[in-house]
Amino acid sequence: MTEQSTPKKHVTNKKDEVKALCFIIFILFPVLSATFLSAYGLFTWISLTLTGVPSH
């Protein structure tokens, strides 16, 4: 009577997985590392500007 549509399965092959891995390793990790390092440097610079250099 009514047709039931079967859900389409997403098929991934090895080539797509290698592309995703290369994207993560060569693009995502370096960009995130540079972003976090820059944010840490900016935070340190702002905190030293506001509070001054710590004395010994």
Side-chain angles (χ1 to χ4, degrees):
M1 312 227 189
T2 60
E3 293 181 25
Q4 294 180 351
S5 62
T6 58
K8 295 181 181 179
K9 294 182 180 179
H10 181 66
V11 178
T12 58
N13 55 13
K14 191 147 181 104
K15 186 177 180 181
D16 290 338
E17 291 180 5
V18 170
K19 279 184 181 180
L21 182 65
C22 287
F23 173 76
I24 291 171
I25 291 174
F26 295 114
I27 296 176
L28 192 62
F29 281 166
V31 168
L32 289 177
S33 297
T35 301
F36 287 129
L37 185 61
S38 299
Y40 177 71
L42 180 65
F43 171 76
T44 303
W45 177 70
I46 289 174
S47 66
L48 287 177
T49 301
L50 295 176
T51 61
V53 180
S55 61
H56 291 280

